[in-house]
Amino acid sequence: MSIIQVEGLKYKYPDTDQLALDDISFEVKQGEFIGLIGRNTAGKSTLCFALSGLVPHFFNGGYGGKVFVNGLEVRQHEVGDIAAHVGLVFENPFSQMTASKYTVFEEIAFGLENMGVERNEMITRMDESLDLLDITSIKDKHPFDLSGGQMQRVAIASVIAMKPKILILDEPTSQLDPQGSEEVFKVVENLTKEGITIIMAEHKIDKLAEYADKVALIDHGKLIDFDTPAKVFSRDDLPDYGITAPTATRIGKALGIKDSKTDLFPVTIKAISREIGDKL
Amino acid sequence: MNTIQVNNLHFSYTPGSSVLNGIDLELDQQTTAIVGQNGAGKSTFVKLLKGLLYPTKGEILFKGKNTRDYTAASLAKDIGLVFQNPNDQIFKNNVISEVMFGPLNIGQDDQEARHNAISALKKVQLDDKLDTNPYDLSLSERKMISIASILAMNTNIVIFDEPTMGQDFAGKEKLKEIIWDLRDQGKLIICILHDMDFAAEVFERTIVFNQGNVLADGPSREVFKQKNILQQAHLEQPSITQIANELGLDGNYLTDEELIQALKEKMTS
Amino acid sequence: MSTMTLYVDKKSFIHHVAPLTKLLYVMVSIAITYIIPKLEFVLFVTLTSLLILAIGKVFRKILPILALSILLIISIIIVQGFFHPENQTVLYSIGFITFYKEGLTFAALLTLRVLNMIMSFGILILTTKHDELVEDLIKKGMSPKIGYVLLSVLQLIPQMRATMGKITDAQRSRGMETEGNLLVRVKAFFPLIVPVVLNSLHNTRERAIALEVRGFNTKMKKTFLNLSKEYQYTKTIQSILWAILIVTIAWRILS
Ligand SMILES: Nc1ncnc2c1ncn2[C@@H]1O[C@H](COP(=O)(O)OP(=O)(O)OP(=O)(O)O)[C@@H](O)[C@H]1O
Ligand SMILES: Nc1ncnc2c1ncn2[C@@H]1O[C@H](COP(=O)(O)OP(=O)(O)O)[C@@H](O)[C@H]1O
Ligand SMILES: [Mg+2]
Ligand SMILES: [Mg+2]
C-alpha cells in the first residue's frame, strides 16, 4: 500500500483566478525519497501544504480531489491529528519558530511535548537531532538570536526529532552552507532507511540527482513528470520548465557521454567521472 | 571613489561572545562574494557596513569618514542592503509603495521614485504585481521585491545578503544580469552567498569568512582552488571543479565551457 | 537573553516563589480590595504589592505601564469627582468645577484598586517565566488551547516591540531618519503604527500555523521537558493567602 496517495488534487488560493495545483495525482511508497522540482511559483510549497493539511484547513480557497497520508484523508482530519503522521519543515524557518520558547533546546522539545513523548526519550531524541544538524553549541540560545542558517537547522531538527512517518521539507537547505546542505541530504537519506518517507522541494538539482529515489516535476500547478532522477533529468525540454539539468548531465550531453548503467545521460558527479574516466 | 575600509573590526551582540574578531579589509570596485559557514558572521558584517550596528572595537571608513558618525538613514543614499530574510525588510501592503519607499526617502520626487521603482521591478520581472500585497506572494517573489526596493534607490554600493536563496534557474540568471549591469555602471557590489557555483562564475573577488575571521581573500579563481581552506570553512568547491578533480585534471575549471573544452581536447587526443 | 519576553531575569526571593502561588496572590490581592472597600485597607494592599515589586527588583519595569494608566486614573478622578451620585460634601471648587468629598473618596478607591491590579499582575508577569506558569496551569487541568491564548497575550507586547525594531531597521536602512532628537523620533513613530499592526496580525496567523503542524492540537496527553521546579514555602504562603481571603470575607459578613 502507498503511504501517500494524491488523486486529482486541485487547489486555488482565495481571491486568485489561477489554479495553484491543477489535477495532480501520484503515489508514494513507504521509505521513498521524493524530490520536488519546478520553477518559482510552480506550486511546490502549495503541494507541501496540501500534503500536511494546511491546505485546505488554514488556506481556504477552492479545493478538489483527495489526498491520503498514512491512510488518513487530509480533508477529513484536523491539522493537529495529521501532524502525528506528517512533519513539515517550512520554506522560511522564521515562520516555524513557536515564539513561545526561550531556548533552541525547548523549541525543539515543543513538538515532542505535544506528542506526549516520555521525557527521557525526548531528551535522547533531541540530543540526537541537535547533533545531526550540528547545533549542539547553540542549544541554549534564544531561537530568534540566530543567524538565518542556524535557524533553518533548528527548524529541521525540531521536525526530525518528532520522527514523523512522512517528512516534508520545503527547500530546507536554502540558507545552509554547502557542507550543511550535504549533511541534510545525508541525514534525510538515513531516515528513509528507518522507513520514513521523504518529500523534499529543492532547487539543488545536483544533490537531488544523487540522493532522491524519484523526482516530481511540477509546472504551473501540473505534475509534468514523476520518475527516477535519471529519466526526468535527461528530458530535453527541462529548460521549458525553468530547470537546468544537473552539472553531470550538462557535461554528459555536451560530450555525448551516457551512463552505461542506465543508457541515459549521467546525473551524478560520480557517474560522469566514471564514464569519462573510462574514455580517457 | 566607493571604497570601504575596515580596520580591526570587532563585534559582539552579547558581551563575552564575540562574533567578529578583528577584520581588516578594503572593499573596492571589484564584484565581491562573501562566503562562509552558517553563523560565521557574514550578515553581521554587512549590517555593520550599513550602519545598522556599530562596532564594539575598530572602525569602518567610508569615503574616509567613520560610519559611526553617521546614522544608518544618512548612509542610505550611498549604501543599499538587501536583507537576508525578505520578511524583515518588507513592511508596506502593496508592492509599488514598498519599492518606492527608499527612493522617496532619499529625496527623489514622486514621479522619479515611481519611475525608478517600476524599472527596478521590471528587472526582477514583477512589474505586473504593482498593487499586490507582498504577503500574497511566494517567498522567492518577496525576495525579488526586496531586491527591487534597493535597486530603485540607485546607490553606489549595493550589498546583497544571499540573493540566490530560494531562486530557481531563471531567478539566478536575472540576478547575474543585475549584478553585471551594476558592475558596468561602476558600482561596488558585495554579495553573501552559499551557492559556490554562482560565486565562482559571477564574482571577481571572493572572501571566505570563518568564525568571525577572514580565512581567505583573493581572486575567485584562486580562492576556489584551495580545497582545504574551503573545507575548513564548511564550504565546497564549485561542482565543475569537483568533476575536474574527480577526473584528475590539472588546472583550474570554474565553468561548464572551460571543462567541456578541456575534456573535448583530451578525448580527441 | 532576547527581549522577546516581559519576564525579567533577576535573582530575588520573589523569583523563587512558585508561579501558581503568585497567581493566587494576584487573585487574592485583587479580590480583597473589593471585599473590603475601605480606603485605608486598599491603600495598605496596594503598598504591599508595591513592596513585593521592589523586593522582586522589578519596580522600575512597571513604571511605564503605571504611567500609561495615569490617563485612565485622571479620568476616573474627574468623572467621579464631579458626577458621583452621592456627591454632597463640597471639598473645593475651581471656577465652575466643584469637587465633592464622596466622589473623590470613591475615585481614590478606584485608582488604588487599578494600581494594585496592575502591580499585582506585574509581580506575576515580571518575575515568572511565562511558559512555566502556563505549563503549571495545564498540569492543573487547564486546556492547552487556553494556555496558548494566555501565552500569546503575554507575548503581545514583546512581539510588537520586536516587530517595531525590525521595521525600524527596514526603514532607516532605506533612508528614513529614526534616530536623533525627540521630534525626529516622534515623526518616525506614526508611520510605524500601521505596518506594526499588520505585521503582528500576519505573525499571529503564522505562529498559529507553526504550532498546528507541530501537533499543538492533538488529543494526545502532553508531556513536559521542564520538570516542575521545587519551590520552598509554597504551602505556607498559599495557606496564608487563603487565610487572608477568608478573614476578609468573614469581616465583611460580620461587620
Ligand atoms: N540578534 C542576535 N543576538 C545574538 N546573537 C546573534 C544575533 N544575530 C546573530 N547572532 C549570532 O551571531 C553569529 C553570526 O551571525 P550572522 O547572522 O552574522 O551569521 P551568518 O554568517 O550570516 O550566517 P548564515 O549563513 O547562517 O546567514 C551567530 O553565531 C549568531 O548566532
Ligand atoms: N498565500 C498565498 N496567497 C495567494 N497566492 C499564493 C499564496 N502563496 C502562493 N501563492 C501563489 O500560488 C502559486 C504557487 O506558489 P508556491 O506554491 O509558493 O510555488 P513554489 O513553492 O513552487 O515557488 C504562485 O502563483 C503564488 O504566487
Ligand atoms: Mg516554495
Ligand atoms: Mg546571514
Side-chain angles (χ1 to χ4, degrees):
Chain A
M1 235 226 26
S2 306
I3 193 152
I4 299 176
Q5 266 173 287
V6 179
E7 298 167 5
L9 174 63
K10 285 188 187 184
Y11 175 71
K12 192 168 77 69
Y13 282 98
D15 310 321
T16 58
D17 27 53
Q18 257 195 341
L19 283 172
L21 297 174
D22 189 354
D23 200 13
I24 289 191
S25 306
F26 65 96
E27 286 186 22
V28 180
K29 287 199 217 42
Q30 188 185 347
E32 278 188 318
F33 181 164
I34 311 295
L36 214 54
I37 61 167
R39 71 173 100 229
N40 289 140
T41 75
K44 304 180 292 299
S45 299
T46 311
L47 182 56
C48 293
F49 290 159
L51 291 173
S52 53
L54 293 181
V55 163
H57 296 296
F58 265 88
F59 296 92
N60 317 93
Y63 187 90
K66 283 191 173 146
V67 175
F68 294 91
V69 288
N70 205 22
L72 302 178
E73 201 208 326
V74 164
R75 196 179 196 175
Q76 309 295 340
H77 291 82
E78 285 174 30
V79 176
D81 297 327
I82 298 167
H85 307 263
V86 183
L88 172 65
V89 177
F90 291 10
E91 191 171 22
N92 188 350
F94 183 80
S95 318
Q96 190 173 324
M97 299 297 124
T98 56
S100 53
K101 296 289 181 182
Y102 296 100
T103 64
V104 165
F105 199 61
E106 291 171 351
E107 175 69 37
I108 296 177
F110 181 79
L112 303 179
E113 294 178 324
N114 292 334
M115 294 293 147
V117 175
E118 184 265 326
R119 189 168 175 275
N120 287 329
E121 161 84 7
M122 193 189 299
I123 291 174
T124 315
R125 283 207 218 164
M126 283 163 47
D127 284 338
E128 191 185 11
S129 50
L130 283 170
D131 188 46
L132 285 176
L133 274 303
D134 196 18
I135 44 175
T136 308
S137 62
I138 54 167
K139 77 178 171 60
D140 295 321
K141 288 196 81 163
H142 192 281
F144 285 164
D145 288 349
L146 302 176
S147 81
Q150 289 171 335
M151 207 184 277
Q152 193 157 41
R153 288 166 190 256
V154 173
I156 299 170
S158 65
V159 179
I160 283 187
M162 291 168 74
K163 299 219 163 148
K165 277 202 139 150
I166 301 170
L167 177 58
I168 301 173
L169 306 107
D170 192 357
E171 298 190 35
T173 69
S174 61
Q175 300 185 56
L176 297 193
D177 57 54
Q179 284 180 26
S181 307
E182 178 74 23
E183 281 304 315
V184 166
F185 277 89
K186 286 214 175 98
V187 165
V188 161
E189 190 190 36
N190 272 327
L191 291 176
T192 62
K193 289 180 191 145
E194 297 172 28
I196 293 178
T197 308
I198 308 289
I199 308 278
M200 188 199 276
E202 252 305 339
H203 288 302
K204 293 191 174 130
I205 300 291
D206 283 4
K207 294 267 188 286
L208 278 185
E210 191 176 338
Y211 290 99
D213 296 312
K214 277 186 177 172
V215 173
L217 169 60
I218 299 182
D219 200 42
H220 290 113
K222 292 195 176 67
L223 185 65
I224 306 295
D225 203 350
F226 184 56
D227 215 323
T228 61
K231 288 234 176 77
V232 175
F233 292 137
S234 56
R235 287 175 72 115
D236 285 324
D237 58 354
L238 273 187
D240 298 348
Y241 303 113
I243 306 278
T244 31
T247 313
T249 315
R250 297 198 307 266
I251 304 292
K253 277 193 175 174
L255 297 173
I257 291 176
K258 289 210 167 173
D259 187 335
S260 49
K261 287 187 184 161
T262 57
D263 202 35
L264 295 162
F265 289 110
V267 291
T268 62
I269 292 184
K270 264 208 202 80
I272 182 98
S273 307
R274 187 186 62 232
E275 296 299 331
I276 296 180
D278 288 349
K279 297 222 161 50
L280 286 182
Chain B
M1 274 303 290
N2 305 322
T3 310
I4 301 179
Q5 180 78 40
V6 179
N7 297 327
N8 190 29
L9 178 65
H10 288 259
F11 182 80
S12 55
Y13 288 98
T14 40
S17 64
S18 174
V19 174
L20 299 177
N21 325 303
I23 295 203
D24 292 293
L25 279 174
E26 187 174 292
L27 298 159
D28 51 26
Q29 286 319 56
Q30 304 167 70
T31 52
T32 302
I34 298 179
V35 297
Q37 182 180 0
N38 290 136
K42 306 177 296 293
S43 299
T44 305
F45 177 68
V46 296
K47 282 186 194 161
L48 282 153
L49 294 185
K50 172 78 194 161
L52 286 171
L53 300 171
Y54 290 118
T56 36
K57 211 172 106 191
E59 59 182 9
I60 299 168
L61 302 176
F62 170 58
K63 290 184 180 164
K65 295 177 208 144
N66 198 327
T67 54
R68 190 181 270 286
D69 302 332
Y70 295 86
T71 60
S74 64
L75 285 173
K77 276 195 255 342
D78 299 297
I79 307 178
L81 168 64
V82 180
F83 291 3
Q84 180 165 352
N85 185 354
N87 294 8
D88 290 350
Q89 190 181 319
I90 295 174
F91 63 92
K92 293 274 186 187
N93 52 11
N94 66 59
V95 168
I96 184 70
S97 52
E98 178 68 35
V99 183
M100 281 172 66
F101 178 82
L104 286 175
N105 270 313
I106 57 170
Q108 300 179 11
D109 64 32
D110 200 69
Q111 203 185 349
E112 190 185 1
R114 176 171 283 271
H115 173 81
N116 285 337
I118 290 177
S119 89
L121 282 167
K122 276 204 175 102
K123 286 188 188 139
V124 296
Q125 286 172 19
L126 285 169
D127 52 317
D128 57 336
K129 299 250 153 83
L130 299 187
D131 298 316
T132 310
N133 185 333
Y135 283 127
D136 291 337
L137 294 171
S138 65
L139 186 64
S140 55
E141 291 172 308
R142 285 205 293 275
K143 184 84 199 187
M144 284 300 192
I145 301 286
S146 69
I147 290 173
S149 318
I150 301 305
L151 293 180
M153 291 172 73
N154 201 12
T155 51
N156 276 323
I157 298 175
V158 188
I159 307 173
F160 298 92
D161 197 344
E162 293 186 35
T164 58
M165 174 183 124
Q167 296 301 328
D168 61 6
F169 176 67
K172 285 186 201 168
E173 291 298 309
K174 266 178 250 167
L175 284 168
K176 266 182 214 170
E177 270 165 39
I178 289 170
I179 290 166
W180 279 328
D181 186 35
L182 292 172
R183 176 199 60 194
D184 294 343
Q185 294 173 37
K187 306 201 168 200
L188 168 56
I189 300 141
I190 301 165
C191 192
I192 297 175
L193 287 168
H194 284 310
D195 185 333
M196 300 300 117
D197 293 0
F198 192 84
E201 185 185 344
V202 181
F203 291 86
E204 294 153 341
R205 174 183 180 188
T206 296
I207 301 173
V208 180
F209 269 50
N210 188 33
Q211 297 177 352
N213 292 303
V214 171
L215 190 62
D217 177 8
S220 301
R221 195 167 283 277
E222 297 303 315
V223 170
F224 284 112
K225 242 200 282 195
Q226 306 175 49
K227 197 170 170 183
N228 290 336
I229 289 210
L230 294 174
Q231 203 107 47
Q232 192 188 333
H234 289 237
L235 305 172
E236 278 175 356
Q237 289 185 301
S239 45
I240 289 289
T241 317
Q242 288 182 38
I243 295 183
N245 280 349
E246 199 72 29
L247 291 170
L249 298 185
D250 2 293
N252 190 340
Y253 304 91
L254 291 183
T255 63
D256 284 22
E257 295 74 35
E258 287 172 10
L259 182 66
I260 291 168
Q261 184 63 29
L263 286 173
K264 272 189 179 149
E265 279 165 23
K266 256 210 139 131
M267 284 161 71
T268 47
S269 69
Chain C
M1 169 88 70
S2 160
T3 51
M4 277 301 287
T5 172
L6 293 173
Y7 168 70
V8 184
D9 197 13
K10 287 204 174 139
K11 287 208 166 21
S12 80
F13 175 73
I14 309 300
H15 285 71
H16 287 290
V17 173
L20 292 184
T21 307
K22 283 184 261 191
L23 183 63
L24 182 64
Y25 175 80
V26 175
M27 296 194 293
V28 170
S29 87
I30 292 175
I32 57 179
T33 60
Y34 285 88
I35 297 170
I36 305 186
K38 277 204 176 305
L39 198 56
E40 301 79 8
F41 178 73
V42 176
L43 179 68
F44 174 73
V45 175
T46 310
L47 288 176
T48 309
S49 293
L50 190 101
L51 183 69
I52 298 177
L53 275 175
I55 297 174
K57 301 179 186 165
V58 290
F59 177 63
R60 281 188 42 201
K61 294 277 171 186
I62 201 92
L63 284 179
I65 305 175
L66 287 182
L68 272 178
S69 57
I70 288 283
L71 212 63
L72 179 72
I73 291 167
I74 290 175
S75 59
I76 293 178
I77 292 179
I78 293 178
V79 170
Q80 298 296 338
F82 291 163
F83 304 119
H84 192 66
E86 283 161 33
N87 277 347
Q88 272 180 359
T89 326
V90 174
L91 216 51
Y92 58 87
S93 334
I94 319 161
F96 63 94
I97 305 171
T98 311
F99 284 98
Y100 295 90
K101 183 170 178 234
E102 290 76 9
L104 278 187
T105 312
F106 191 72
L109 193 63
L110 263 185
T111 303
L112 285 174
R113 278 177 184 157
V114 170
L115 288 179
N116 180 59
M117 212 179 277
I118 294 172
M119 289 196 286
S120 57
F121 269 112
I123 295 169
L124 177 68
I125 288 165
L126 297 171
T127 67
T128 312
K129 288 195 169 170
H130 304 165
D131 55 342
E132 193 187 342
L133 169 67
V134 171
E135 271 178 23
D136 284 356
L137 285 170
I138 294 175
K139 283 175 193 163
K140 284 260 183 264
M142 189 179 71
S143 115
K145 272 194 193 171
I146 297 179
Y148 175 65
V149 172
L150 201 64
L151 257 187
S152 329
V153 170
L154 291 172
Q155 217 90 56
L156 212 61
I157 293 173
Q159 210 152 137
M160 288 252 190
R161 199 163 54 195
T163 309
M164 205 141 41
K166 271 188 187 161
I167 295 179
T168 306
D169 268 359
Q171 292 177 331
R172 66 201 183 104
S173 80
R174 277 186 281 155
M176 191 171 122
E177 262 327 326
T178 57
E179 302 155 276
N181 63 32
L182 195 62
L183 185 68
V184 174
R185 279 186 281 166
V186 169
K187 257 167 76 187
F189 181 72
F190 291 100
L192 261 178
I193 299 173
V194 172
V196 165
V197 170
L198 289 180
N199 230 291
S200 302
L201 285 177
H202 179 78
N203 283 346
T204 308
R205 182 181 148 81
E206 222 165 39
R207 297 293 159 228
I209 295 179
L211 297 187
E212 279 287 334
V213 300
R214 300 269 285 289
F216 185 70
N217 274 329
T218 49
K219 284 149 202 107
M220 286 176 230
K221 187 154 169 43
K222 287 185 198 309
T223 48
F224 297 94
L225 170 67
N226 295 324
L227 298 171
S228 297
K229 278 202 205 129
E230 293 293 323
Y231 289 99
Q232 285 180 316
Y233 315 122
T234 300
K235 281 246 169 65
T236 322
I237 302 174
Q238 289 193 0
S239 315
I240 294 173
L241 287 169
W242 284 118
I244 291 173
L245 186 66
I246 291 165
V247 169
T248 51
I249 293 173
W251 185 89
R252 174 69 183 260
I253 295 170
L254 296 178
S255 67

